[in-house]
Amino acid sequence: KNEVEQSPQNLTAQEGEFITINCSYSVGISALHWLQQHPGGGIVSLFMLSSGKKKHGRLIATINIQEKHSSLHITASHPRDSAVYICAVRSTFGNEKLTFGTGTRLTIIP
Amino acid sequence: NAGVTQTPKFRVLKTGQSMTLLCAQDMNHEYMYWYRQDPGMGLRLIHYSVGEGTTAKGEVPDGYNVSRLKKQNFLLGLESAAPSQTSVYFCASSYWDASSYEQYFGPGTRLTVT
């Protein structure tokens, strides 16, 4: 079993829909990260979370440490949000490294 | 700032050939990483470095070597390429303090071994 599991693997939605991507992990962590990989391949960091909730524009990330679960929400989705969203964790030990999920491919149809 | 750059962007090798991928960062970051990304799998750590002159093995180090002679550069070497090393390779660098940690990624190198 992978240390970091994401669901769904693929998600297609209509423009304007509310999007939720889930991430579960099995190890103790010091932080959880959400990243975005554009269709051209570039990877950028979106959020780092160790507790609670963070918001940036239309993106919201939440984490429940007790349940070892995080969600990434996108409100009022737009075709430019189409990308692969990747969850990654920094474990309590060896926390100079990230362990990555396999990603969720999101496609927003106009 | 250029951020993290990788050279080359694309390469085709024959089995048994060698090559070196260069990663450079201009953000004065201590930490640097090499990953490979394969279809259906998450980014997997090959080797990493926590400072100039240091390297450490990651999750999938076999068949690769690295060097960090200068703080800004992290080199990944393939001594004898194999088809199983066909992949997209990403370099990243990061800073790390008490309140913040973020990895900055290069654009990737697409390597095909025939």
Side-chain angles (χ1 to χ4, degrees):
Chain A
K1 187 177 186 295
N2 291 337
E3 288 183 356
V4 182
E5 299 274 358
Q6 287 186 236
S7 63
Q9 284 188 306
N10 295 282
L11 178 57
T12 300
Q14 293 289 133
E15 183 174 354
E17 286 189 36
F18 182 80
I19 303 299
T20 296
I21 298 170
N22 297 300
C23 176
S24 297
Y25 54 92
S26 57
V27 297
I29 68 168
S30 58
L32 182 142
H33 298 250
W34 283 101
L35 306 98
Q36 181 190 54
Q37 185 168 23
H38 297 286
I43 301 171
V44 296
S45 292
L46 297 175
F47 294 105
M48 182 187 77
L49 292 161
S50 53
S51 64
K53 176 178 173 178
K54 285 191 175 179
K55 185 175 189 290
H56 185 254
R58 294 180 295 105
L59 276 69
I60 304 165
T62 64
I63 188 167
N64 184 318
I65 297 293
Q66 286 72 32
E67 294 187 3
K68 291 187 164 64
H69 181 269
S70 175
S71 293
L72 176 68
H73 304 286
I74 304 175
T75 62
S77 59
H78 190 277
R80 65 175 174 266
D81 297 325
S82 297
V84 176
Y85 292 84
I86 302 170
C87 172
V89 300
R90 266 192 296 144
S91 70
T92 307
F93 303 101
N95 54 6
E96 72 277 12
K97 298 177 287 182
L98 293 176
T99 300
F100 295 82
T102 56
T104 294
R105 184 174 300 275
L106 174 65
T107 303
I108 304 297
I109 300 170
Chain B
N1 288 351
V4 180
T5 58
Q6 291 182 230
T7 309
K9 289 188 169 49
F10 302 93
R11 185 74 187 266
V12 179
L13 287 180
K14 294 188 191 306
T15 297
Q17 288 184 321
S18 64
M19 77 164 294
T20 300
L21 282 68
L22 171 63
C23 176
Q25 52 97 2
D26 60 2
M27 296 173 283
N28 202 36
H29 288 167
E30 289 293 337
Y31 301 90
M32 295 187 76
Y33 309 83
W34 275 109
Y35 298 98
R36 60 178 290 171
Q37 186 177 44
D38 301 294
M41 307 188 76
L43 288 157
R44 292 185 292 168
L45 183 64
I46 304 171
H47 287 279
Y48 66 103
S49 168
V50 300
E52 181 179 314
T54 74
T55 63
K57 292 181 180 179
E59 185 185 349
V60 288
D62 293 343
Y64 305 94
N65 57 74
V66 287
S67 64
R68 182 105 182 264
L69 298 179
K70 293 183 179 180
K71 187 176 184 179
Q72 63 266 35
N73 295 337
F74 195 29
L75 278 63
L76 178 71
L78 286 72
E79 288 186 349
S80 179
S84 60
Q85 294 177 303
T86 294
S87 188
V88 181
Y89 292 85
F90 287 95
C91 175
S93 71
S94 72
Y95 65 89
W96 183 22
D97 60 31
S99 61
S100 182
Y101 175 95
E102 182 173 349
Q103 286 197 10
Y104 294 80
F105 286 82
T109 296
R110 186 173 294 276
L111 175 66
T112 302
V113 183
T114 61

Coordinates of all heavy atoms in Angstrom, one line a residue, chain B residues 27-88:
Chain B
M27 N 18.7 30.3 -6.3 CA 18.0 30.8 -5.2 C 18.8 30.5 -3.9 O 18.2 30.7 -2.8 CB 16.6 30.1 -5.1 CG 15.7 30.5 -6.3 SD 14.2 29.5 -6.4 CE 14.8 28.0 -7.1
N28 N 20.0 30.1 -4.0 CA 20.8 29.8 -2.8 C 20.2 28.8 -1.9 O 20.4 28.8 -0.6 CB 21.1 31.1 -2.0 CG 22.3 31.0 -1.2 OD1 23.3 30.4 -1.5 ND2 22.3 31.6 0.0
H29 N 19.5 27.8 -2.4 CA 18.9 26.8 -1.6 C 19.9 25.7 -1.2 O 20.8 25.4 -2.0 CB 17.8 26.1 -2.4 CG 16.5 26.9 -2.6 ND1 15.5 26.6 -3.5 CD2 16.2 28.1 -1.9 CE1 14.6 27.5 -3.4 NE2 15.0 28.4 -2.5
E30 N 19.7 25.2 0.0 CA 20.6 24.2 0.5 C 20.3 22.8 -0.1 O 21.1 22.0 -0.3 CB 20.6 24.1 2.0 CG 21.2 25.3 2.7 CD 22.7 25.3 2.5 OE1 23.3 24.3 2.3 OE2 23.3 26.4 2.7
Y31 N 19.0 22.5 -0.2 CA 18.5 21.2 -0.5 C 18.2 21.1 -2.0 O 17.6 22.0 -2.6 CB 17.2 20.9 0.2 CG 17.4 20.9 1.7 CD1 17.1 22.1 2.4 CD2 17.7 19.8 2.4 CE1 17.3 22.2 3.8 CE2 17.9 19.8 3.8 CZ 17.7 21.0 4.5 OH 17.8 21.0 5.8
M32 N 18.6 20.0 -2.6 CA 18.3 19.7 -4.0 C 18.0 18.3 -4.2 O 18.5 17.4 -3.4 CB 19.5 20.1 -4.9 CG 19.8 21.6 -4.9 SD 21.0 22.1 -6.1 CE 20.1 22.1 -7.7
Y33 N 17.1 18.0 -5.2 CA 16.6 16.6 -5.4 C 16.5 16.3 -6.8 O 16.3 17.1 -7.7 CB 15.1 16.6 -4.8 CG 14.9 17.2 -3.4 CD1 14.8 18.6 -3.2 CD2 14.9 16.3 -2.3 CE1 14.7 19.1 -2.0 CE2 14.7 16.9 -1.1 CZ 14.6 18.2 -0.9 OH 14.5 18.7 0.4
W34 N 16.6 15.0 -7.1 CA 16.4 14.4 -8.4 C 15.2 13.4 -8.3 O 15.3 12.5 -7.5 CB 17.6 13.7 -9.0 CG 18.5 14.7 -9.8 CD1 19.7 15.1 -9.4 CD2 18.3 15.3 -11.0 NE1 20.3 15.9 -10.3 CE2 19.4 16.1 -11.3 CE3 17.2 15.3 -11.9 CZ2 19.5 16.8 -12.5 CZ3 17.3 16.0 -13.1 CH2 18.4 16.8 -13.4
Y35 N 14.2 13.6 -9.1 CA 13.1 12.6 -9.2 C 12.9 12.1 -10.6 O 13.4 12.7 -11.6 CB 11.8 13.4 -8.9 CG 11.7 14.0 -7.5 CD1 11.9 15.4 -7.4 CD2 11.2 13.3 -6.4 CE1 11.8 16.0 -6.1 CE2 11.1 13.9 -5.2 CZ 11.4 15.2 -5.0 OH 11.3 15.8 -3.8
R36 N 12.3 10.9 -10.7 CA 11.8 10.5 -11.9 C 10.3 10.3 -11.9 O 9.7 10.0 -10.8 CB 12.4 9.1 -12.3 CG 12.3 8.0 -11.4 CD 13.0 6.7 -12.0 NE 12.2 6.2 -13.1 CZ 12.7 5.2 -13.9 NH1 13.9 4.7 -13.7 NH2 12.0 4.8 -15.0
Q37 N 9.6 10.6 -13.0 CA 8.2 10.5 -13.0 C 7.8 9.5 -14.2 O 8.1 9.8 -15.3 CB 7.5 11.8 -13.3 CG 6.0 11.8 -13.2 CD 5.4 13.2 -13.4 OE1 5.8 14.0 -14.2 NE2 4.4 13.5 -12.5
D38 N 7.1 8.5 -13.8 CA 6.6 7.5 -14.8 C 5.1 7.4 -14.8 O 4.5 7.7 -13.8 CB 7.2 6.1 -14.4 CG 8.8 6.1 -14.4 OD1 9.3 6.3 -15.5 OD2 9.3 6.0 -13.3
P39 N 4.5 7.0 -15.9 CA 3.1 7.0 -16.0 C 2.5 6.1 -14.9 O 2.9 5.0 -14.7 CB 2.8 6.3 -17.4 CG 4.0 6.7 -18.2 CD 5.2 6.7 -17.2
G40 N 1.4 6.6 -14.3 CA 0.7 5.9 -13.2 C 1.4 5.8 -11.9 O 0.9 5.2 -11.0
M41 N 2.6 6.5 -11.8 CA 3.3 6.5 -10.5 C 3.6 7.9 -10.1 O 3.7 8.8 -10.9 CB 4.6 5.7 -10.7 CG 4.5 4.3 -11.3 SD 6.0 3.4 -11.2 CE 6.1 2.9 -9.5
G42 N 3.7 8.1 -8.8 CA 4.0 9.4 -8.3 C 5.5 9.7 -8.6 O 6.3 8.8 -9.0
L43 N 5.9 10.9 -8.4 CA 7.3 11.3 -8.4 C 8.1 10.4 -7.4 O 7.7 10.3 -6.3 CB 7.5 12.8 -8.0 CG 7.0 13.8 -9.1 CD1 6.7 15.1 -8.5 CD2 8.1 13.9 -10.2
R44 N 9.2 9.9 -7.9 CA 10.0 9.0 -7.0 C 11.4 9.6 -6.9 O 12.0 10.0 -7.9 CB 10.0 7.6 -7.5 CG 8.7 6.9 -7.5 CD 8.8 5.4 -7.9 NE 9.2 5.3 -9.3 CZ 9.6 4.2 -9.9 NH1 9.7 3.1 -9.2 NH2 9.8 4.2 -11.2
L45 N 11.8 9.7 -5.6 CA 13.1 10.3 -5.3 C 14.3 9.4 -5.7 O 14.3 8.3 -5.2 CB 13.2 10.7 -3.9 CG 14.4 11.4 -3.4 CD1 14.5 12.8 -4.0 CD2 14.3 11.6 -1.8
I46 N 15.2 9.9 -6.5 CA 16.4 9.1 -6.9 C 17.5 9.4 -5.9 O 18.0 8.4 -5.3 CB 16.8 9.5 -8.3 CG1 15.6 9.3 -9.3 CG2 18.0 8.6 -8.8 CD1 15.9 9.9 -10.7
H47 N 18.0 10.6 -5.8 CA 19.0 11.0 -4.9 C 18.7 12.4 -4.5 O 17.9 13.2 -5.2 CB 20.4 11.0 -5.6 CG 21.0 9.7 -5.8 ND1 21.6 9.0 -4.8 CD2 21.1 9.0 -6.9 CE1 22.1 7.9 -5.4 NE2 21.8 7.8 -6.6
Y48 N 19.2 12.8 -3.3 CA 19.1 14.2 -2.9 C 20.3 14.7 -2.2 O 21.3 13.9 -1.9 CB 17.8 14.4 -2.0 CG 17.9 13.7 -0.7 CD1 18.1 14.4 0.5 CD2 17.7 12.3 -0.6 CE1 18.2 13.7 1.7 CE2 17.7 11.6 0.6 CZ 18.0 12.4 1.8 OH 18.0 11.7 3.0
S49 N 20.4 16.0 -1.9 CA 21.5 16.6 -1.3 C 21.0 17.6 -0.3 O 20.1 18.4 -0.6 CB 22.4 17.3 -2.3 OG 23.4 18.1 -1.7
V50 N 21.6 17.6 0.9 CA 21.2 18.6 1.9 C 22.2 19.7 2.0 O 22.1 20.6 2.9 CB 21.0 18.0 3.3 CG1 19.9 16.9 3.2 CG2 22.3 17.3 3.8
G51 N 23.2 19.8 1.1 CA 24.2 20.8 1.1 C 25.3 20.5 0.2 O 25.5 19.4 -0.2
E52 N 26.1 21.5 -0.1 CA 27.3 21.4 -1.0 C 28.2 20.2 -0.5 O 28.5 20.2 0.7 CB 28.0 22.7 -1.1 CG 29.3 22.7 -2.0 CD 29.9 24.0 -2.0 OE1 29.2 25.1 -2.1 OE2 31.2 24.1 -1.8
G53 N 28.5 19.4 -1.4 CA 29.4 18.3 -1.0 C 28.8 17.1 -0.4 O 29.5 16.1 -0.1
T54 N 27.5 17.1 -0.2 CA 26.7 16.0 0.4 C 25.7 15.4 -0.6 O 25.2 16.1 -1.4 CB 26.0 16.4 1.6 OG1 24.8 17.1 1.2 CG2 26.8 17.2 2.6
T55 N 25.6 14.1 -0.6 CA 24.5 13.4 -1.4 C 24.0 12.3 -0.5 O 24.6 11.7 0.3 CB 25.0 12.9 -2.7 OG1 26.0 11.9 -2.5 CG2 25.6 14.0 -3.6
A56 N 22.7 11.9 -0.9 CA 22.1 10.7 -0.2 C 21.2 10.0 -1.1 O 20.7 10.6 -2.1 CB 21.3 11.2 1.1
K57 N 21.0 8.7 -0.9 CA 20.1 7.9 -1.7 C 18.7 8.2 -1.4 O 18.3 8.3 -0.2 CB 20.5 6.4 -1.5 CG 21.8 6.0 -2.1 CD 22.1 4.6 -1.9 CE 23.4 4.2 -2.4 NZ 23.7 2.7 -2.2
G58 N 17.9 8.1 -2.4 CA 16.4 8.2 -2.2 C 15.8 6.8 -2.4 O 16.4 5.8 -2.0
E59 N 14.6 6.8 -3.0 CA 13.8 5.6 -3.1 C 14.3 4.7 -4.2 O 14.2 3.5 -4.0 CB 12.4 6.1 -3.3 CG 11.3 5.0 -3.4 CD 10.0 5.6 -3.8 OE1 9.8 6.8 -3.8 OE2 9.0 4.8 -4.1
V60 N 14.8 5.3 -5.3 CA 15.1 4.5 -6.5 C 16.5 4.9 -7.0 O 16.7 5.3 -8.1 CB 14.1 4.6 -7.6 CG1 12.8 3.8 -7.2 CG2 13.8 6.0 -7.9
P61 N 17.6 4.6 -6.2 CA 18.9 5.2 -6.6 C 19.7 4.3 -7.6 O 20.7 4.8 -8.2 CB 19.7 5.2 -5.3 CG 19.1 4.0 -4.5 CD 17.6 4.0 -4.9
D62 N 19.3 3.0 -7.8 CA 20.1 2.1 -8.5 C 20.2 2.5 -10.0 O 19.3 2.8 -10.6 CB 19.6 0.7 -8.4 CG 19.7 0.1 -7.0 OD1 20.5 0.6 -6.2 OD2 18.9 -0.9 -6.7
G63 N 21.5 2.5 -10.5 CA 21.7 2.9 -11.9 C 22.0 4.4 -12.1 O 22.3 4.8 -13.2
Y64 N 22.0 5.1 -11.0 CA 22.3 6.6 -11.0 C 23.4 7.0 -10.1 O 23.5 6.4 -9.0 CB 21.0 7.4 -10.7 CG 19.8 7.0 -11.5 CD1 18.9 6.1 -11.0 CD2 19.5 7.6 -12.7 CE1 17.7 5.8 -11.7 CE2 18.4 7.3 -13.4 CZ 17.5 6.4 -12.9 OH 16.4 6.1 -13.7
N65 N 24.1 8.0 -10.4 CA 25.0 8.6 -9.5 C 24.8 10.1 -9.5 O 24.3 10.7 -10.5 CB 26.5 8.3 -9.8 CG 26.9 8.6 -11.2 OD1 27.1 9.8 -11.5 ND2 27.0 7.6 -12.1
V66 N 25.2 10.8 -8.5 CA 25.0 12.3 -8.4 C 26.2 12.9 -7.8 O 27.1 12.3 -7.1 CB 23.8 12.6 -7.5 CG1 22.5 12.3 -8.2 CG2 23.9 12.0 -6.1
S67 N 26.3 14.2 -8.0 CA 27.4 15.0 -7.4 C 26.9 16.4 -7.2 O 26.1 16.9 -8.0 CB 28.7 15.0 -8.2 OG 28.5 15.6 -9.5
R68 N 27.4 17.0 -6.1 CA 27.0 18.4 -5.7 C 28.3 19.1 -5.3 O 28.6 19.4 -4.1 CB 26.0 18.3 -4.5 CG 25.5 19.7 -4.1 CD 24.1 20.0 -4.6 NE 23.7 21.3 -4.2 CZ 23.0 21.6 -3.1 NH1 22.6 20.7 -2.3 NH2 22.6 22.9 -2.9
L69 N 29.1 19.4 -6.3 CA 30.4 20.0 -6.0 C 30.2 21.5 -5.7 O 31.0 22.1 -5.0 CB 31.3 19.8 -7.2 CG 31.7 18.4 -7.6 CD1 32.6 18.3 -8.8 CD2 32.3 17.7 -6.4
K70 N 29.2 22.1 -6.3 CA 28.9 23.5 -6.1 C 27.4 23.6 -5.5 O 26.6 22.8 -6.0 CB 29.0 24.4 -7.3 CG 30.4 24.5 -7.9 CD 30.4 25.4 -9.1 CE 31.8 25.6 -9.7 NZ 31.8 26.5 -10.8
K71 N 27.2 24.5 -4.7 CA 25.9 24.7 -4.1 C 24.8 24.8 -5.1 O 23.7 24.3 -4.9 CB 25.8 25.9 -3.1 CG 24.6 26.0 -2.3 CD 24.7 27.2 -1.3 CE 23.5 27.2 -0.4 NZ 23.7 28.4 0.6
Q72 N 25.0 25.5 -6.2 CA 24.0 25.8 -7.1 C 23.7 24.7 -8.1 O 22.8 24.8 -8.9 CB 24.3 27.1 -7.9 CG 25.6 27.1 -8.7 CD 26.8 27.6 -7.9 OE1 26.9 27.4 -6.7 NE2 27.6 28.3 -8.7
N73 N 24.6 23.7 -8.2 CA 24.5 22.7 -9.2 C 24.3 21.3 -8.6 O 25.0 20.9 -7.6 CB 25.7 22.6 -10.1 CG 25.8 23.9 -10.9 OD1 24.9 24.6 -11.2 ND2 27.1 24.2 -11.4
F74 N 23.5 20.5 -9.2 CA 23.3 19.1 -8.8 C 23.2 18.2 -10.1 O 22.3 18.4 -10.9 CB 22.0 19.0 -8.0 CG 21.8 17.7 -7.2 CD1 22.9 17.0 -6.7 CD2 20.6 17.2 -6.9 CE1 22.8 15.9 -6.0 CE2 20.4 16.1 -6.1 CZ 21.5 15.4 -5.7
L75 N 24.2 17.3 -10.2 CA 24.3 16.6 -11.5 C 23.8 15.1 -11.2 O 24.1 14.5 -10.2 CB 25.8 16.5 -11.9 CG 26.3 17.7 -12.7 CD1 26.3 19.0 -11.9 CD2 27.7 17.4 -13.2
L76 N 23.1 14.6 -12.2 CA 22.6 13.2 -12.2 C 23.3 12.5 -13.3 O 23.1 12.9 -14.5 CB 21.1 13.2 -12.3 CG 20.5 11.8 -12.4 CD1 20.5 11.1 -11.0 CD2 19.0 11.9 -12.8
G77 N 24.0 11.4 -13.0 CA 24.6 10.6 -14.1 C 24.0 9.3 -14.3 O 23.6 8.6 -13.3
L78 N 24.0 8.9 -15.5 CA 23.6 7.5 -15.9 C 24.9 6.9 -16.5 O 25.3 7.4 -17.6 CB 22.5 7.5 -16.9 CG 21.0 7.8 -16.4 CD1 20.9 9.2 -16.1 CD2 20.0 7.3 -17.4
E79 N 25.5 5.9 -15.9 CA 26.7 5.4 -16.4 C 26.5 4.4 -17.6 O 27.3 4.4 -18.5 CB 27.5 4.6 -15.3 CG 28.0 5.6 -14.2 CD 28.9 4.8 -13.2 OE1 28.9 3.6 -13.2 OE2 29.6 5.5 -12.4
S80 N 25.4 3.6 -17.5 CA 25.1 2.7 -18.6 C 23.6 2.6 -18.7 O 23.0 1.8 -18.0 CB 25.7 1.3 -18.2 OG 25.4 0.4 -19.2
A81 N 23.1 3.4 -19.6 CA 21.6 3.6 -19.6 C 20.9 2.3 -20.0 O 21.4 1.5 -20.8 CB 21.3 4.7 -20.6
A82 N 19.7 2.1 -19.4 CA 18.9 0.9 -19.7 C 17.5 1.4 -20.1 O 17.1 2.5 -19.6 CB 18.8 0.0 -18.5
P83 N 16.8 0.6 -20.9 CA 15.4 1.0 -21.3 C 14.5 1.3 -20.1 O 13.6 2.2 -20.2 CB 14.9 -0.2 -22.1 CG 16.1 -0.8 -22.7 CD 17.2 -0.6 -21.6
S84 N 14.8 0.7 -18.9 CA 14.0 1.0 -17.7 C 14.2 2.4 -17.2 O 13.4 2.8 -16.3 CB 14.3 -0.1 -16.6 OG 15.7 0.0 -16.3
Q85 N 15.2 3.0 -17.7 CA 15.5 4.4 -17.2 C 14.8 5.4 -18.1 O 14.9 6.7 -17.9 CB 17.0 4.7 -17.1 CG 17.6 3.9 -16.0 CD 19.1 4.0 -16.0 OE1 19.8 3.8 -17.0 NE2 19.6 4.4 -14.8
T86 N 14.0 5.0 -19.1 CA 13.2 5.9 -19.9 C 12.2 6.5 -18.9 O 11.4 5.8 -18.3 CB 12.5 5.1 -21.0 OG1 13.4 4.7 -22.0 CG2 11.4 6.0 -21.7
S87 N 12.2 7.8 -18.9 CA 11.3 8.5 -17.9 C 11.4 10.0 -18.1 O 12.2 10.5 -19.0 CB 11.8 8.2 -16.5 OG 10.9 8.7 -15.5
V88 N 10.7 10.8 -17.3 CA 10.8 12.2 -17.3 C 11.5 12.5 -15.9 O 11.0 12.0 -14.9 CB 9.5 13.0 -17.4 CG1 9.7 14.5 -17.3 CG2 8.8 12.6 -18.7

